[in-house]
Amino acid sequence: MPGAVKGPRTLYDKVLQDHIVEEKEDGTILLYIDRHLVHEVTSPQAFEGLKNAKRKVRRPDCTLATTDHNVPTTSRKNFKNVEQFVEEADSRLQCMTLEDNVRDFGLTYFGMGDARQGIVHIIGPEQGFTLPGTTVVCGDSHTSTHGAFGALAFGIGTSEVEHVLATQTLITQRSKNMRVQVDGELAPGVSSKDIILHVIGKIGTAGGTGAVIEFCGSAIRALSMEARMSICNMSIEGGARAGMVAPDQTTFEYLKGKPLAPEVDSPMWKKAVAYWSTLQSDEGATYDTEVFIDAKDIAPTVSWGTSPQDVVPITGVVPGPDDFQDEARKRACVKALDYMGLEAGTPMQDIVLDKVFIGSCTNARIEDLRSAARVVKGKKIAPNLKRAMVVPGSGLVKKQAESEGLDKIFIDAGFEWREAGCSMCLGMNPDILSPKERCASTSNRNFEGRQGAGGRTHLMSPVMAAACALVGKLADVRRIADYNGSSQVKSAPKVELDPQVDDPESDSDLIEIMDLDEKSQGNTVPSKAPASSAGMPKFTQLKGIAAPMEVSNIDTDAIIPKQFLKTIKRSGLGSALFHAWRFDSETGAEIPDFVLNKEPYRHAKILVCTGPNFGCGSSREHAPWALLDFGITCIIAPSFGDIFFNNTFKNGMLPVRITDEAALARIADEAKAGREIEVDLEAQTIKDAEGKELATFEVESFRRHCLINGLDDIGLTMQMEDKIRRFEERRTRDTPWLDGSGYLKRTGPTKVEAAPVPKTNRGRLRRSRLSGEGSAEGSEHNGLTTSVVQLDERLLKAE
Ligand SMILES: CC(C)[C@H](C(=O)O)[C@@H](O)C(=O)O
Ligand code: SF4
């Protein structure tokens, strides 16, 4: 693991350093988190853990919640509340659970009746919640998006969400530094999405594993903030922990006037800009890996397979196994061609489409919609298309687009114009592909079943998706649109997104804040649910059958598909494990060839994967929960997706990295022979059933200590209260704009469309507000008043 940097520092080194509360000798870092975004899918179990342990949210003023994955994108004209609006029961429960939680913990929340609701990675920047030099986390892998601001932003699992809610810190390790430099000018029709698809094609989906990528070079500098966000968004598809771009004038211009950014030209703004301007990598800073790309080598790029690294220029043909050297990639190619229903050698532009989707946290910002609208203006979508949809990333993007008439352009062309949400990016809501349907999509993942079981996804930029919609096949936008000069949006045009929400007085579903006294005593919360991250099972030695898998880049969508993410519990997910590979999608019967359906592997306690990058992709902690519930507590592989790797430890599981090919082969041979192996964490060895050593392995000593002793790391971190408090005092002094000041400026309460609070509570709430009881107790941290109190005061004024 890389150690602290002495000489010239990179942007990542600087932001990391400024947030270290404590660094242990083994490299374990307690990192302060400035901004925590929360959504409905990965938070229920975290809030449940807090409630069971009677813990509070430490910094409600640094926490922002919204609902995005489950929300239907149909018209909200008649929206009254979630209970009536969301038809699917599990989705409804997940959305309502978030509403209960934000109310119980007094968090700021943009619900479905609020114009500011949208995909979590769109609303953070839009509100100025995301700021340069901050640490930003969310229980979502595409948190990397926010790195476009020079923030250190990364996805975390649900146990870590709980840790951040309770302590505003995270236990982490230093990542490696990687630089991707793109110089020169992009050709017309080529956009930032093509840059990132090209980069991933070059480095592979494991290329950035263990690293934070800094994107730099003249081509990146020339991009608008929104275009930079699309690039950082997909750093995770390149395997990186995060992506970053150094803040510059483009960044500062973008932030001007954002509701939660410091007020422009105020002393606070000047102080902030002075600090933000220091966030450049020093001359002579070194990187562990460097990649150089000439912008003129990038063509409009499209994916052909089931991994984001499976890309070719639109002028290319579908590759075949012979185009790859590596055996694992040859195998993956055969599998991908079969899934995608494609033949090697087919020109990409001959591939006929069924659907087109313009949306997602990668490409549903106003510039994306503008550029796509420019392509389709005055034209019609191809008659063979079953459906073409545009899903704005947030309510404010939608409003802005409508004020520019973009909705009309799309509707006239034959597109559906929808409400904000994740939509068909992952199909946790009603927008999905049917089996074998082929879709041109501006989203970021083309995994098997990603947009719907059996659905086939081709990733591309918004202008390319627009061109595809007109042609009905994969198409080259350069042959469709007239590019007089460059297609690039050089810098963000000043976009006035109207932050107004509906008149709170006239609305029936005003925010309801629970009685704070009651909350601080923790007695509003039923504490029956057993599962919480507090107190982990111990891991010392494990002896058992190991199931062999020879697949590379096994993503968490494959480990547990999206339809199983709608639970609000941690338990019972074993039957969902590898669902699409284990069960026939039509009959539901077991697929006999799949390893976990065979004896003796039905009883496997260990998984041995000989391909790299196990658990890449989404941050869903449901993946380790499903493995655990099946009975697997140890995974052995050459490398892991970073978030998955962290998530396993939080559940008392052990991921073992074996990079020595011969040792891995020895272990795999035992697994294939159906013999037991023994993983000994104390001795850090793997032995065969006879006790002969097969391999040794490394684990960070703090993690090892926690696993062996079954320690709850939230409890451990809470013992560091003094250090965290001192850090916060320094933060208030040095970077005062981070203390939720933006919230204090807001007018109008934040709405919660939760099921109404029972009448009895309402009466009590009103009484306590009027009499002033139950105000600030339990919500003060270091003299900082939290948003709960601010919201409460505003309500008092309203009354
Ligand atoms: C639901 C969430 C955990 C997931 C992620 O982490 O990425 C989702 O946003 C996705 O895109 O798969
Ligand atoms: S990748 Fe898709 S599902 Fe995940 S946050 Fe972004 S839009 Fe939502």
Side-chain angles (χ1 to χ4, degrees):
M1 190 190 316
V5 182
K6 303 259 161 37
R9 295 183 303 159
T10 64
L11 166 62
Y12 164 68
D13 297 332
K14 291 183 182 183
V15 180
L16 180 82
Q17 195 60 43
D18 285 352
H19 292 84
I20 294 180
V21 177
E22 197 194 53
E23 184 161 10
K24 290 186 195 305
E25 265 182 20
D26 75 340
T28 304
I29 289 173
L30 186 66
L31 191 73
Y32 195 81
I33 301 302
D34 295 315
R35 296 287 183 254
H36 189 189
L37 289 153
V38 173
H39 66 60
E40 80 279 12
V41 182
T42 51
S43 64
Q45 298 85 350
F47 284 113
E48 183 188 44
L50 280 194
K51 289 176 176 183
N52 288 346
K54 302 202 191 321
R55 289 171 176 148
K56 289 181 298 187
V57 174
R58 183 177 179 91
R59 293 300 297 259
D61 63 328
C62 299
T63 310
L64 177 61
T66 194
T67 173
D68 49 10
H69 287 69
N70 283 281
V71 304
T73 59
T74 44
S75 168
R76 291 189 203 150
K77 266 203 187 105
N78 300 322
F79 178 84
K80 287 203 179 56
N81 58 38
V82 169
E83 193 166 9
Q84 288 171 20
F85 190 71
V86 182
E87 285 175 18
E88 209 274 318
D90 291 343
S91 289
R92 183 167 65 236
L93 177 64
Q94 216 164 48
C95 294
M96 289 177 71
T97 303
L98 178 62
E99 302 206 327
D100 288 344
N101 286 325
V102 295
R103 193 172 44 217
D104 291 355
F105 288 95
L107 303 182
T108 303
Y109 168 67
F110 299 161
M112 262 180 259
D114 191 314
R116 295 165 298 183
Q117 175 269 340
I119 306 173
V120 74
H121 310 306
I122 305 251
I123 67 164
E126 188 170 82
Q127 292 298 318
F129 186 71
T130 308
L131 292 170
T134 51
T135 44
V136 182
V137 295
C138 174
D140 196 285
S141 54
H142 289 99
T143 311
S144 56
T145 311
H146 309 258
F149 291 78
L152 173 56
F154 52 90
I156 55 177
T158 296
S159 298
E160 292 179 315
V161 169
E162 185 182 340
H163 194 284
V164 177
L165 288 171
T167 67
Q168 204 59 30
T169 65
L170 202 63
I171 298 173
T172 186
Q173 287 80 31
R174 212 169 269 274
S175 300
K176 285 185 283 187
N177 276 293
M178 178 166 177
R179 174 161 68 175
V180 174
Q181 185 167 333
V182 191
D183 285 318
E185 249 193 71
L186 292 174
V190 179
S191 67
S192 69
K193 181 66 163 284
D194 300 302
I195 298 183
I196 191 64
L197 288 174
H198 181 89
V199 168
I200 296 167
K202 208 170 156 108
I203 66 172
T205 49
T209 306
V212 169
I213 302 179
E214 179 176 342
F215 294 95
C216 61
S218 57
I220 304 289
R221 285 270 147 260
L223 295 174
S224 70
M225 282 313 293
E226 298 199 353
R228 293 179 192 181
M229 283 187 240
S230 304
I231 291 189
C232 289
N233 173 278
M234 288 191 71
S235 328
I236 188 76
E237 272 66 52
R241 185 91 175 108
M244 296 176 92
V245 176
D248 59 8
Q249 205 48 44
T250 305
T251 320
F252 310 149
E253 288 301 319
Y254 176 93
L255 286 169
K256 283 184 179 168
K258 292 280 180 285
L260 302 180
E263 197 178 325
V264 185
D265 292 337
S266 65
M268 185 90 96
W269 170 263
K270 289 183 182 144
K271 191 174 163 140
V273 171
Y275 170 62
W276 297 342
S277 304
T278 66
L279 299 173
Q280 305 283 330
S281 291
D282 294 332
E283 202 53 49
T286 53
Y287 295 83
D288 301 278
T289 320
E290 289 184 281
V291 177
F292 295 95
I293 288 170
D294 190 336
K296 73 172 179 332
D297 295 339
I298 307 176
T301 302
V302 189
S303 71
W304 58 268
T306 53
S307 161
Q309 69 190 6
D310 297 342
V311 290
V312 286
I314 183 65
T315 47
V317 298
V318 176
D322 294 345
D323 294 314
F324 301 97
Q325 311 293 321
D326 181 64
E327 281 308 314
R329 279 213 73 180
K330 281 183 194 289
R331 275 199 305 275
C333 177
V334 173
K335 194 163 177 273
L337 291 181
D338 178 48
Y339 180 85
M340 293 295 288
L342 292 175
E343 259 180 50
T346 309
M348 291 301 284
Q349 291 177 71
D350 285 356
I351 297 172
V352 180
L353 296 163
D354 298 301
K355 288 184 175 167
V356 173
F357 168 60
I358 299 178
S360 90
C361 58
T362 319
N363 282 125
R365 296 182 178 80
I366 190 70
E367 288 173 13
D368 298 317
L369 304 194
R370 283 184 190 136
S371 61
R374 242 176 269 143
V375 176
V376 302
K377 189 169 182 185
K379 305 195 172 113
K380 295 275 179 230
I381 63 168
N384 64 301
L385 285 189
K386 294 182 190 157
R387 188 176 200 187
M389 60 201 298
V390 182
V391 186
S394 73
L396 294 185
V397 170
K398 180 167 185 273
K399 250 187 171 178
Q400 178 67 26
E402 287 170 355
S403 76
E404 296 176 19
L406 304 186
D407 56 329
K408 205 165 169 316
I409 294 176
F410 285 117
I411 292 166
D412 288 350
F415 281 86
E416 293 171 35
W417 178 248
R418 314 286 288 206
E419 295 285 338
C422 292
S423 182
M424 212 195 269
C425 173
L426 95 163
M428 276 185 77
N429 52 75
D431 305 341
I432 52 167
L433 293 183
S434 300
K436 302 204 168 143
E437 272 183 350
R438 191 179 295 283
C439 181
S441 176
T442 65
S443 56
N444 44 44
R445 288 182 174 146
N446 52 344
F447 303 145
E448 287 184 16
R450 171 71 183 180
Q451 296 191 283
R456 296 163 173 166
T457 304
H458 293 274
L459 304 174
M460 65 191 70
S461 74
V463 288
M464 284 288 287
C468 288
L470 300 179
V471 178
K473 292 185 197 174
L474 292 184
D476 187 340
V477 66
R478 296 169 299 186
R479 296 172 61 183
I480 311 289
D482 173 23
Y483 285 115
N484 279 326
S486 173
S487 67
Q488 298 307 306
V489 184
K490 295 273 179 201
S491 62
K494 186 80 188 134
V495 182
E496 293 299 341
L497 293 178
D498 177 6
Q500 288 306 304
V501 284
D502 308 336
D503 176 10
E505 298 283 339
S506 66
D507 215 293
S508 57
D509 45 25
L510 291 180
I511 189 167
E512 305 288 357
I513 298 171
M514 298 291 271
D515 181 284
L516 285 170
D517 266 353
E518 198 176 46
K519 183 159 45 100
S520 59
Q521 287 159 20
N523 58 1
T524 57
V525 174
S527 57
K528 276 194 204 119
S532 129
S533 69
M536 283 192 308
K538 292 183 185 179
F539 190 114
T540 47
Q541 281 92 15
L542 176 71
K543 194 168 183 182
I545 291 292
M549 289 184 92
E550 288 186 303
V551 189
S552 305
N553 300 309
I554 296 184
D555 56 77
T556 51
D557 275 68
I559 299 174
I560 183 162
K562 61 194 169 285
Q563 63 269 32
F564 302 103
L565 307 188
K566 297 187 187 187
T567 174
I568 58 168
K569 298 284 169 203
R570 287 176 155 97
S571 50
L573 293 173
S575 56
L577 181 67
F578 292 116
H579 196 270
W581 295 352
R582 235 166 109 201
F583 303 105
D584 186 293
S585 59
E586 273 154 36
T587 63
E590 281 188 358
I591 297 172
D593 279 353
F594 186 68
V595 63
L596 297 181
N597 289 334
K598 293 189 213 168
E599 290 296 347
Y601 306 114
R602 288 177 179 281
H603 316 286
K605 291 184 183 167
I606 301 163
L607 203 62
V608 181
C609 188
T610 45
N613 208 17
F614 187 92
C616 58
S618 151
S619 67
R620 55 191 74 172
E621 199 166 315
H622 310 67
W625 294 336
L627 285 159
L628 200 58
D629 199 53
F630 182 88
I632 293 172
T633 44
C634 174
I635 304 106
I636 301 170
S639 61
F640 291 88
D642 284 335
I643 311 177
F644 175 84
F645 188 74
N646 291 337
N647 285 343
T648 49
F649 284 105
K650 306 283 173 189
N651 291 282
M653 300 164 73
L654 177 66
V656 179
R657 283 193 194 113
I658 301 284
T659 46
D660 174 346
E661 277 182 30
L664 191 59
R666 282 196 294 275
I667 301 168
D669 284 348
E670 292 305 301
K672 282 186 222 155
R675 290 190 287 268
E676 288 194 332
I677 61 171
E678 184 177 334
V679 180
D680 186 336
L681 177 57
E682 283 173 318
Q684 295 183 206
T685 56
I686 299 176
K687 296 188 196 132
D688 68 13
E690 259 71 72
K692 198 168 123 238
E693 188 172 293
L694 298 168
T696 58
F697 61 91
E698 297 292 323
V699 194
E700 284 97 33
S701 58
F702 177 73
R703 284 183 151 151
R704 181 168 165 271
H705 176 73
C706 287
L707 271 188
I708 289 177
N709 297 294
L711 296 178
D712 156 27
D713 59 9
I714 299 182
L716 288 180
T717 304
M718 287 184 109
Q719 288 170 17
M720 303 191 45
E721 171 61 22
D722 280 356
K723 286 196 174 156
I724 299 173
R725 193 183 289 269
R726 275 204 298 281
F727 183 93
E728 285 176 328
E729 279 161 10
R730 181 158 60 84
R731 190 183 90 138
T732 300
R733 202 181 55 233
D734 296 347
T735 52
W737 56 88
L738 296 179
D739 279 339
S741 55
Y743 288 114
L744 311 187
K745 284 189 295 182
R746 280 194 209 148
T747 53
T750 302
K751 296 193 305 179
V752 174
E753 295 75 26
V757 168
K759 282 263 157 30
T760 46
N761 269 356
R762 269 177 206 274
R764 214 148 109 227
L765 181 64
R766 195 165 297 269
R767 268 199 313 283
S768 70
R769 280 192 203 131
L770 291 173
S771 65
E773 307 160 17
S775 55
E777 297 99 342
S779 59
E780 293 253 351
H781 300 288
N782 312 320
L784 301 170
T785 313
T786 67
S787 60
V788 183
V789 181
Q790 294 309 318
L791 292 169
D792 212 1
E793 277 171 1
R794 287 200 301 269
L795 282 168
L796 272 171
K797 267 188 223 137
E799 282 179 346

